[in-house]
Amino acid sequence: MDAFYSDNITNALKNDPPGEWMPYIPEDCIRLSSGFPAPSLVPVKQLKESIGQLLDVEQDLPLHYLGTPKMDELKQQIIERLDQREMKFTMDEVLVTAGACQAIDLIARIFVDEETVVAVESPTYMEALEIYKNYTDRFIEIPMDEDGLQTERFAKLLADRKSKGLPLPQLLYTIPTFQNPTGTTLTEERRRHLLELADTYDFLIIEDDAYGELFFHDQPKTLKAWDKANRVLYVGSFSKVIAPGLRIGWVSATKEIIEKLFWFKKDLDHPFAQAVMSNYLRQYPLNKRLSLIQESYKEKCSLMKDALADYMPDSVSWYVPRGGYFVWVKLPGEDTSELLEQATKKGVSFLPGKHFFLDERDGREWLRLSFSYEDSTAIVEGVKKLSEVVCNR
């Protein structure tokens, strides 16, 4: 039996080596690769107080399978926040999940099989690609530019497929606001166009809004807020604005869809984490916290853009984000995967662009930099180190 498991594990690792998409990063590197909240902005003290108060009041309840009434309270808090952003939902139309990724996976379970065609942005969030590839290998890729998903290109692609009798997508996965990895934001005109295309060609839209609260100036209106035909399944998360380790996300959709998602989710709840989050939100208003982190990330993004302008060669270009965590950088003629090894030896890391494309060759000249995790001094020093590597090639 041991040999059986050993052989099968070995074969599985040969097919999908661990860490292939996330390269090894030395401990002493400046991590411009890390799409994590800044350590100084994780509310450790407040969460500690919330946990202590929760256990003092509720004792063992949050530690049981069934959890506490605070799980429903958390759902209500999410609904109230969505209402402030012009999205109206009832308790039957929201499912709390273990982060946004569980929400995406649950949606894939009920809507995607090997015959399903899924439309995705190109590039897009690497984890979402991995989830969908577990269910289907039939994809339509829509190119991105500085204004997000190119809806005109998508419209032509859909019309062409229909005229040729090719299968149309049943789902579109999109991150329209402060996208990962590009940092781009879909314009209002394109948002409206995308919803029109969904009506015309009869597909659903999964709107991943993980970064939507991290705006630097004005907050864009979500696709879901424009949605009049229940085409949009809205996915949100507290990971980027409070603490990713609590794994609190959600999906908002029609009651019928939520019931199906709930059936697949079954008892895979995190009662303690949900109760902690609810208690935290009760004590510490989210709007006040958002103002703090928005200002911090805005400042760090500005420092990164200035450093890129100061140190990078003129041939290098990048998209300018209006929020979120990331700057998407193009190095014409370079293979950023090869560049990474030299950069880490120099003391700075990034993510090569290939990891965000279905066809890795499409991302050869691109890389993603994150300004969220490191402090201001490290951001500038990291960009300087990376620029030295680029200039010396």
Side-chain angles (χ1 to χ4, degrees):
M1 186 64 73
D2 289 343
F4 171 81
Y5 283 116
S6 176
D7 290 345
N8 277 274
I9 290 170
T10 299
N11 290 334
L13 295 183
K14 285 179 181 177
N15 294 329
D16 190 14
E20 186 170 75
W21 63 271
M22 183 65 78
Y24 170 71
I25 300 170
E27 287 295 326
D28 58 351
C29 261
I30 295 173
R31 292 173 176 260
L32 302 186
S33 55
S34 295
F36 308 147
S40 62
L41 293 178
V42 177
V44 176
K45 180 180 178 182
Q46 293 92 334
L47 285 169
K48 181 179 179 181
E49 291 173 354
S50 294
I51 292 169
Q53 184 190 66
L54 176 70
L55 295 178
D56 284 344
V57 172
E58 298 201 348
Q59 297 293 306
D60 62 309
L61 277 181
L63 305 174
H64 283 294
Y65 289 122
L66 295 178
T68 84
K70 288 197 176 296
M71 297 170 73
D72 281 339
E73 184 177 328
L74 175 61
K75 189 184 291 189
Q76 185 59 48
Q77 289 164 323
I78 291 169
I79 289 169
E80 290 170 3
R81 181 63 191 170
L82 295 179
D83 183 66
Q84 293 174 30
R85 299 182 62 196
E86 302 181 59
M87 292 179 280
K88 307 291 185 183
F89 293 102
T90 66
M91 292 287 281
D92 293 330
E93 296 172 329
V94 175
L95 180 68
V96 178
T97 59
C101 276
Q102 187 187 46
I104 294 167
D105 184 67
L106 288 170
I107 293 167
R109 287 193 189 192
I110 68 168
F111 285 109
V112 182
D113 60 26
E114 60 186 11
E115 298 299 319
T116 306
V117 177
V118 177
V120 295
E121 296 164 335
S122 184
T124 192
Y125 176 41
M126 63 178 75
E127 297 286 359
L129 284 180
E130 292 302 316
I131 289 171
Y132 293 121
K133 285 193 287 187
N134 287 334
Y135 298 92
T136 186
D137 59 3
R138 307 179 76 183
F139 292 94
I140 294 175
E141 297 177 89
I142 309 127
M144 305 280 287
D145 62 19
E146 63 273 14
D147 291 322
L149 182 153
Q150 297 183 44
T151 57
E152 290 295 338
R153 294 275 295 272
F154 189 28
K156 290 178 182 177
L157 189 153
L158 290 168
D160 184 60
R161 292 182 72 90
K162 185 174 181 179
S163 69
K164 294 177 179 177
L166 296 174
L168 296 171
Q170 286 92 346
L171 288 176
L172 164 70
Y173 171 75
T174 177
I175 312 171
T177 307
F178 319 135
Q179 200 241 17
N180 181 7
T182 65
T184 58
T185 297
L186 198 65
T187 64
E188 180 179 321
E189 180 182 5
R190 288 187 180 184
R191 289 174 191 243
R192 291 180 180 274
H193 188 200
L194 194 57
L195 290 168
E196 290 171 5
L197 292 175
D199 282 338
T200 300
Y201 293 97
D202 192 24
F203 59 84
L204 296 176
I205 298 173
I206 303 170
E207 179 179 15
D208 186 344
D209 196 38
Y211 303 91
E213 298 279 22
L214 298 176
F215 56 95
F216 301 155
H217 303 287
D218 298 321
Q219 186 172 34
K221 190 172 178 178
T222 63
L223 282 172
K224 186 61 189 176
W226 294 108
D227 179 27
K228 305 302 181 185
N230 282 325
R231 291 281 177 186
V232 178
L233 286 71
Y234 178 87
V235 175
S237 173
F238 286 124
S239 293
K240 306 300 183 291
V241 298
I242 298 177
L246 288 175
R247 308 305 301 138
I248 303 295
W250 64 89
V251 55
S252 307
T254 64
K255 178 182 177 181
E256 292 74 21
I257 290 175
I258 293 299
E259 285 176 349
K260 290 181 174 64
L261 295 173
F262 178 78
W263 190 90
F264 277 99
K265 183 171 180 278
K266 296 182 179 177
D267 60 352
L268 297 179
D269 260 323
H270 290 68
F272 181 67
Q274 291 179 32
V276 169
M277 182 65 75
S278 176
N279 207 44
Y280 169 84
L281 291 171
R282 173 184 279 191
Q283 297 179 77
Y284 301 100
L286 184 58
N287 283 339
K288 184 175 181 180
R289 171 164 179 77
L290 289 174
S291 297
L292 169 69
I293 60 178
Q294 288 160 0
E295 190 59 36
S296 175
Y297 291 139
K298 178 182 177 181
E299 179 182 343
K300 294 204 288 183
C301 179
S302 181
L303 284 170
M304 177 170 280
K305 290 186 297 179
D306 289 346
L308 287 166
D310 288 343
Y311 297 116
M312 281 291 181
D314 292 341
S315 60
V316 176
S317 61
W318 52 90
Y319 292 157
V320 177
R322 293 162 46 198
Y325 275 10
F326 307 115
V327 177
W328 187 235
V329 183
K330 185 175 185 179
L331 284 70
E334 289 284 0
D335 185 331
T336 57
S337 294
E338 295 178 2
L339 184 71
L340 180 61
E341 183 177 354
Q342 297 176 46
T344 53
K345 288 179 180 177
K346 188 77 173 179
V348 60
S349 66
F350 59 85
L351 277 187
K354 71 175 188 178
H355 300 300
F356 303 95
F357 292 86
L358 284 167
D359 185 340
E360 293 186 347
R361 293 171 296 182
D362 293 337
R364 187 177 63 84
E365 297 181 321
W366 294 91
L367 62 84
R368 190 194 76 180
L369 298 179
S370 171
F371 51 80
S372 62
Y373 183 72
E374 294 284 7
D375 64 27
S376 299
T377 301
I379 288 171
V380 175
E381 183 63 22
V383 172
K384 185 177 180 181
K385 286 176 180 287
L386 179 57
S387 302
E388 290 170 356
V389 173
V390 173
C391 289
N392 290 330
R393 281 174 64 84

